[in-house]
């Protein structure tokens, strides 16, 4: 006599040998149903194996990829100041070590501040270069530039134009915002309007 298969309903037994119903309450099961059931079991086994292989492969690949690379930090490495002459349209270098004097009747002209930055000028990193100018402790200028400037090797330059006429010392502070620690540089331009 063949093996007896049980189903979920209580009191019903199914014989897996076709045509053998010699015992009371047994129902013959055609071989086609058994083959169908075997195919389903094989398919489930293959799907489970495929899922496990995929999961194992993913666990191996993700650590190999590593952490995303952090954005390269910027460092402020220089600051140049140039004074603009409205008489001849020329820019002249300002020596921060000297006092720059002018008459009260002819105060000094607007200035161009060029900040030198070391690092990759990738605009996607979210960094900005900010310049602040103070005169007698009062803020007279603040601006942040998000850069997409081309670099010369590992350096690039960020310009800031400060309008107005200067008769008092101006404290310039350049800093990189959007990164920690922030890189900063401060210079004082000693303007003076004599009598």
């Amino acid at each position: 006599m063949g093996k007896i298969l049980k189903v979920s309903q209580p009191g019903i037994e199914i014989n897996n040998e076709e045509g053998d119903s010699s015992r009371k309450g047994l129902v013959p099961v055609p071989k086609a149903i058994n083959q169908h059931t075997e195919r389903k079991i094989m398919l489930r086994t293959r799907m489970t194996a495929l899922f496990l292989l995929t999961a194992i492969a993913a666990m191996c690949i993700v650590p190999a990829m590593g952490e995303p690379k952090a954005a390269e930090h910027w460092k402020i490495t220089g600051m140049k100041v140039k004074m603009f002459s409205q008489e001849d349209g020329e820019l002249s270098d300002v020596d921060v070590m000297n006092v720059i004097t002018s008459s009260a009747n002819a105060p000094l002209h607007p200035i161009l501040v060029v900040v030198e930055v070391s690092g990759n000028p990738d605009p996607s990193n979210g960094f900005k270069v900010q310049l602040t100018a103070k005169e007698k402790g009062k803020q007279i200028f603040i601006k942040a530039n998000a850069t997409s400037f081309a670099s010369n090797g590992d350096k690039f330059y960020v310009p800031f134009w400060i309008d107005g006429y200067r008769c008092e010392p101006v404290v310039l502070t350049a800093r990189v915002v959007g990164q920690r620690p922030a890189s900063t540089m401060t210079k004082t331009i000693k303007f003076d309007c004599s009598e």
Side-chain angles (χ1 to χ4, degrees):
M1 186 187 267
K3 296 177 184 175
I4 303 296
L5 298 177
K6 293 185 178 180
V7 294
S8 60
Q9 279 188 313
I12 298 178
E13 292 182 335
I14 299 175
N15 186 338
N16 68 349
E17 294 293 329
E18 185 176 5
D20 184 1
S21 58
S22 59
R23 296 176 73 184
K24 187 177 178 182
L26 298 181
V27 178
V29 178
K31 285 185 182 178
I33 292 177
N34 283 342
Q35 290 173 352
H36 178 70
T37 303
E38 286 176 16
R39 276 191 229 131
K40 284 173 82 175
I41 292 170
M42 286 180 65
L43 181 61
R44 284 185 186 154
T45 304
R46 287 180 183 163
M47 293 300 289
T48 303
L50 181 63
F51 174 77
L52 289 174
L53 286 173
T54 305
I56 290 168
M59 288 190 298
C60 293
I61 291 171
V62 170
M65 291 171 59
E67 300 268 330
K69 189 177 176 184
E72 179 184 339
H73 279 200
W74 291 355
K75 182 176 181 183
I76 295 180
T77 51
M79 189 187 310
K80 296 178 185 175
V81 180
K82 297 181 178 283
M83 196 164 31
F84 177 71
S85 171
Q86 292 179 335
E87 287 81 25
D88 59 12
E90 297 292 323
L91 288 169
S92 57
D93 290 333
V94 172
D95 183 357
V96 296
M97 301 306 288
N98 296 326
V99 175
I100 301 158
T101 60
S102 177
S103 162
N105 293 330
L108 297 168
H109 301 292
I111 56 174
L112 173 68
V113 180
V114 180
V115 179
E116 179 185 83
V117 184
S118 294
N120 180 5
D122 180 3
S124 67
N125 64 17
F127 300 163
K128 294 181 180 182
V129 177
Q130 176 181 288
L131 182 72
T132 305
K134 291 185 178 182
E135 200 173 74
K136 290 183 173 181
K138 181 182 176 186
Q139 185 172 291
I140 61 168
F141 178 87
I142 185 169
K143 185 173 182 181
N145 283 337
T147 115
S148 57
F149 304 115
S151 66
N152 181 9
D154 61 349
K155 291 186 179 180
F156 60 97
Y157 300 88
V158 184
F160 295 91
W161 184 258
I162 303 177
D163 285 323
Y165 298 100
R166 311 273 73 93
C167 278
E168 299 290 339
V170 175
V171 178
L172 301 171
T173 303
R175 68 187 280 261
V176 176
V177 294
Q179 78 176 21
R180 290 193 179 179
S183 175
T184 63
M185 180 177 284
T186 299
K187 288 194 176 185
T188 300
I189 313 300
K190 300 168 189 169
F191 293 118
D192 179 48
C193 293
S194 58
E195 293 291 331

